[in-house]
Structures are given as C-alpha cells and as structure tokens.
Amino acid sequence: MGRLSKVGAAFLRLVAVAGPVLLGLLTALYIGRPSPYFLAAGIMLAVAILACDGWIVARRHWITGGFALTTQIAFLIFVGTYTASPLPMPSPISDPLPQASPPGGMAIYALPTGVNHRTAAFAYRGGSPWDKRDSVSTAVLVRHPQGDVLIDTGLGRTIAEQMKEFPFLFRLGTDLVRFRAAADQLDAAGYDRSQLRYILLTHAHWDHISGVPDFPGVPVLVTAAERRFIDEGGWATAGARSMNAVFQEYAFDSGSYMGFAQSRDLYGDGSIVIVPTPGHTPGSVAVFVTMSGGARYAFVGDLVWQLEGLLEREERPWFEARTLGENPVLLRQSLLQMSAIATHYPQITIVASHDPRGYASIPEWPRATTR
Ligand SMILES: [Zn+2]
Ligand SMILES: [Zn+2]
C-alpha cells in the first residue's frame, strides 16, 4: 500500500509539472485541427492539473509546487503568443496604380484541389480558436496569348504518398480533404496542355508544389533564393527535391513596382508581375495579375494564411512561424508592404493562398465535361 501511494504521489507530481507541456501540444494540435478529441483531452488534462495543484498545496510540497508553477506559467506565456499583437501601420502609398497593357483574350480560373480544416487562431495572432476556417489549396490558371501560367499547383495526384513522408505530429494536426487534382480537372475539360508555358510558384512548400509531377516537362519558375531553399533540405520541401521538376530560375530585372524595389514583368506587358516577398520562405514571391478587362489580383502566397493577417497586420503565431523556420524580420517587411497595398488599392483583389475569400471573384475552371 505504501509503495502504491508513493507511485500515486509521483504521478500527481508528474501531472502538475509535465502536464502543461502536453497541454501546450494539445492546444497547438487543436488550433491546427479543431477536433473534439483534442478539445476533450485538453479540458480533462487542465482539470487534472488543477486538481494536482490542489493536492500539492494541501500537502505543502513546495519544491514540486515551484516546478509546477514554472511550467504552468510557461504554458500561459505560450497561449499568450496567440493573442493579438498588430504590427505598426506602414507608411501609406501615394503612387498611382502601375500601368499595364494586358492583351485581349486573357482569362483566369481557380482550380480548388483540397481543403484543410483549421482555426483562425492557427492563421494569425488574435484569431479565435473557436473560429473554424477552411484552409483551401487552390491552383490558379492564367490564360495568356504568350502562354498560360499556373500559379501554384495545389494538391497533386500523388499527395497521399507525399503526405506519408511528413512528420507524425504534422499529420496528426492536419485534417486534409482532397478534391480533384488540378491536372485531372484540366484534362477532364479537354485543356490543351501545350498551352501551359509555366508553373509559377509563390513558394516551394509541399501544398503549393504537390501537383508539379502531374505536369511533366512544364518549366517551374522559382527564384534563386527559393531554389537554394529547396536544395538545403527540410521535410516541407522534401517533395520538391524528389519530383524531378524542371526548375527555371528568373531574376527581378524589371525595376521597382508598387513600393517593391525589384520586380519581374513576365511577359513585358504588365499583366503578370512578380515581386519578392521573402520571410515565409527565403524566395517567396507575390504575383500581381492585371486582366485585359481591368480586374487586378495580387496572389500573395503564404505571406499570410488568412486575409486578417494583412488587414489587421497580424503575423502568424509564434509556434507556427517557428516550426516553419520563417525569417520574422523579412516577413514583417513583406507583410507591411503588402498591407499598405491592400489598404491603398481596394480595386486589387488580394488572394492569400489558403483563404477562400480571395477566390470568390475568380471563376472556377469549368466542370462541364467532368463525369
Ligand atoms: Zn507555405
Ligand atoms: Zn501553403
């Protein structure tokens, strides 16, 4: 009996001291994948920790109590990293909209390839953990007389195999629902693949590059910095390394654009202009598209995961940013520049890769001929 009560006492101490670490992990998991199981486990653990605290105080185990207090404060600090912390207002932009002469016959289509069920708290500081958000993976086809461009690929045909290589905790915290791959949608509608001149990546993370192998031989445009990032390693770009993609690097040689010091005007007509927005990854870019009809879009990739990131100038939470290995200084610069553009030019539709609201005004690729 004496031994049993010793084991029991050791367990109560362990829950009070180590419990908050597990509670932090459950919090991060729930925010990325709002499953009732994570929520129930978290509530039960929190109650258990408080009960153990009561036992420690009643028994006056002050040394254990000190350790428990330390980890429990650390947990509260961790939760604090999810609270709102808006960046200072950037200096306003006064430039007029840049000139563009897009040719007639341009068109733009969204190709939704899947969705992750996440929360607002996962996407930006100050987002609520109870506000469930669809984190979409959508490719965008820009049709242009000089050659069509696919901006990101979304989830490809082989995403299930690609996912198997990801860390266990990432898969546990990800509730991915797949739709049809972009290549299947295009093929089903009889798209002539010889029209597709480039795949243009906002960055090389798995959920943007996954469909590249479905378009063999199509050059994949990346910046030199992103190419280095792919080659350097890490699980998030493991797929990019193994897919035998035809990477084609490009330089920013078209002068300044909307406050960005450098840009690349892809076809020289101002219809597709790429600017460097490093931070999320070293070679992340934003793509400004101006249609012949006058509609303008800014595809900002994962600069922010939900539009509030730009509109409220809120960065990704600390845990999400750290696990991605972001460069916070560069990210802040890129985010504030784009935030100034978003507030000054309401006529530009901002499309954050994973925010479904950005795609509302972009027609979906026709499904007329699908089964
Ligand atoms: Zn990303
Ligand atoms: Zn992404």
Side-chain angles (χ1 to χ4, degrees):
M1 186 63 197
R3 174 169 291 180
L4 204 62
S5 64
K6 262 189 188 164
V7 170
F11 181 71
L12 297 183
R13 289 166 197 251
L14 185 70
V15 171
V17 175
V21 178
L22 185 56
L23 192 57
L25 180 65
L26 281 168
T27 305
L29 282 171
Y30 177 81
I31 279 165
R33 180 182 193 167
S35 143
Y37 299 109
F38 293 144
L39 186 63
I43 291 171
M44 285 192 291
L45 181 57
V47 171
I49 291 168
L50 290 174
C52 293
D53 284 350
W55 175 81
I56 285 168
V57 172
R59 296 295 172 97
R60 301 179 182 227
H61 293 310
W62 299 129
I63 293 173
T64 309
F67 283 116
L69 191 65
T70 307
T71 55
Q72 290 174 33
I73 288 174
F75 169 75
L76 293 177
I77 292 172
F78 174 69
V79 170
T81 63
Y82 286 93
T83 55
S85 177
L87 296 171
M89 278 273 236
S91 26
I93 302 178
S94 51
D95 308 7
L97 268 179
Q99 290 293 315
S101 11
M106 281 181 73
I108 191 164
Y109 298 101
L111 297 114
T113 66
V115 63
N116 254 311
H117 298 117
R118 301 204 185 278
T119 68
F122 180 81
Y124 61 95
R125 291 197 61 161
S128 164
W130 318 121
D131 181 358
K132 292 182 185 175
R133 295 283 175 103
D134 279 351
S135 174
V136 298
S137 275
T138 302
V140 169
L141 181 72
V142 180
R143 307 212 67 173
H144 189 289
Q146 288 194 53
D148 296 350
V149 176
L150 191 65
I151 302 176
D152 288 341
T153 65
L155 310 176
R157 289 170 173 162
T158 52
I159 183 65
E161 289 91 279
Q162 295 166 15
M163 284 282 285
K164 285 183 193 149
E165 307 299 320
F166 296 165
F168 168 73
L169 275 178
F170 177 80
R171 280 180 285 141
L172 186 65
T174 298
D175 178 25
L176 189 66
V177 178
R178 294 174 56 195
F179 309 148
R180 298 182 90 186
D184 290 330
Q185 295 182 45
L186 291 171
D187 289 349
Y191 177 73
D192 174 8
R193 283 181 177 233
S194 69
Q195 303 281 305
L196 185 61
R197 184 160 171 191
Y198 299 118
I199 291 170
L200 171 56
L201 295 178
T202 60
H203 64 299
H205 276 158
W206 65 278
D207 49 331
H208 300 256
I209 201 169
S210 164
V212 162
D214 306 341
F215 299 95
V218 176
V220 180
L221 296 180
V222 287
T223 62
E226 199 66 358
R227 186 66 209 272
R228 273 197 302 277
F229 171 62
I230 293 168
D231 293 341
E232 272 165 12
W235 66 267
T237 51
R241 279 188 295 284
S242 66
M243 45 181 67
N244 288 324
V246 188
F247 288 114
Q248 194 171 314
E249 291 178 21
Y250 58 92
F252 295 107
D253 52 6
S254 311
S256 64
Y257 189 86
M258 287 208 199
F260 290 96
Q262 299 174 301
S263 69
R264 173 58 179 256
D265 185 348
L266 188 62
Y267 289 143
D269 56 12
S271 63
I272 302 174
V273 179
I274 314 162
V275 297
T277 52
H280 178 62
T281 64
S284 282
V285 300
V287 185
F288 289 92
V289 174
T290 304
M291 306 295 295
S292 24
R296 287 183 184 254
Y297 303 92
F299 295 92
V300 305
D302 282 4
L303 180 59
V304 292
W305 277 334
Q306 295 278 304
L307 281 174
E308 286 88 344
L310 276 184
L311 303 178
E312 298 173 14
R313 302 181 310 282
E314 290 286 3
E315 296 169 280
R316 252 177 287 279
W318 172 83
F319 182 75
E320 280 65 26
R322 289 322 313 142
T323 46
L324 286 166
E326 290 186 337
N327 180 322
V329 176
L330 291 178
L331 185 94
R332 238 162 259 171
Q333 283 170 7
S334 302
L335 192 152
L336 287 178
Q337 180 61 30
M338 197 57 78
S339 165
I341 290 170
T343 29
H344 188 70
Y345 303 108
Q347 58 273 66
I348 301 178
T349 300
I350 306 283
V351 187
S353 287
H354 301 300
D355 190 327
R357 291 168 288 182
Y359 301 97
S361 64
I362 303 176
E364 266 189 36
W365 177 253
R367 295 191 210 181
T369 54
T370 55
R371 280 158 280 167

